Amino acid sequence: MKKVLFTFAALISITAFGNKQAAAPETESSEVTNEVVTNDTISQEMKEANMQEVQAYLKECGAFFIATADGDQPHVRAFGVSEIINGRLYIMTGKVKDVYKQMTANGKFEICALKKSGSEWMRLSGTLVNDETLAVKEEFLNRNEGLKSMYKADDDNMAVLYITNATARFCSFSAPERRVGF
């Protein structure tokens, strides 16, 4: 288990804050072909299907790790809940936490989710946007009953953030990388 966690931590570090000189320009491709497709040219149906696939992957993994930055210092934290509400993929946290302050100062993020096999993972990057809509917060809590003991939709602490300009990279030790966008 320690070996898997160490490998996972190394992947997150390399992924989120790796050598920028070695990085190739990133483009998004359709999940069906290798043709280049930007988020602006993906159909709404494809965006929704891609978002559903990402959500299912996060749920299957259980825990996922989000990388944020505080100035030039990276920070990685475990998260465990995400929901699609009103056609947007949300995560949530508390406004009193440093991670929230970092997300609102710089909305760029990267999530890494590792399947239990340890040989497949997804990297999700994009921009987080804070949403103060009470109905969205209530729905998020209704889908995650365990959070109701810590948060209330109207408590001025619960923060729900949705993902925009997303690129999900499905990676494996045994298959080529596949990218989808939404």
Side-chain angles (χ1 to χ4, degrees), residues 54-120:
V54 167
Q55 169 70 357
Y57 201 101
L58 292 172
K59 294 273 188 189
E60 181 180 345
C61 292
F64 52 92
F65 297 84
I66 187 163
T68 61
D70 185 6
D72 66 349
Q73 178 62 49
H75 295 278
V76 178
R77 295 163 181 90
F79 274 61
V81 293
S82 62
E83 295 295 340
I84 296 175
I85 302 171
N86 300 332
R88 293 177 171 163
L89 180 57
Y90 285 88
I91 62 172
M92 67 89 41
T93 190
K95 291 180 182 179
V96 297
K97 297 179 179 180
D98 288 342
V99 68
Y100 174 76
K101 294 170 187 141
Q102 292 158 12
M103 290 173 177
T104 55
N106 178 356
K108 292 182 181 181
F109 74 96
E110 187 154 283
I111 286 174
C112 189
L114 179 69
K115 285 193 175 179
K116 292 180 184 4
S117 69
S119 62
E120 297 175 78

Side-chain angles (χ1 to χ4, degrees), residues 142-158:
N142 287 337
R143 295 183 190 183
N144 297 278
E145 291 286 327
L147 295 174
K148 287 185 174 182
S149 65
M150 297 180 284
Y151 297 97
K152 305 276 184 272
D154 60 354
D155 68 2
D156 289 329
N157 181 38
M158 181 182 178

Side-chain angles (χ1 to χ4, degrees), residues 107-111 124-128 163-167:
K108 292 182 181 181
F109 74 96
E110 187 154 283
I111 286 174
L124 175 63
S125 60
T127 305
L128 291 166
I163 299 169
T164 63
N165 303 317
T167 300

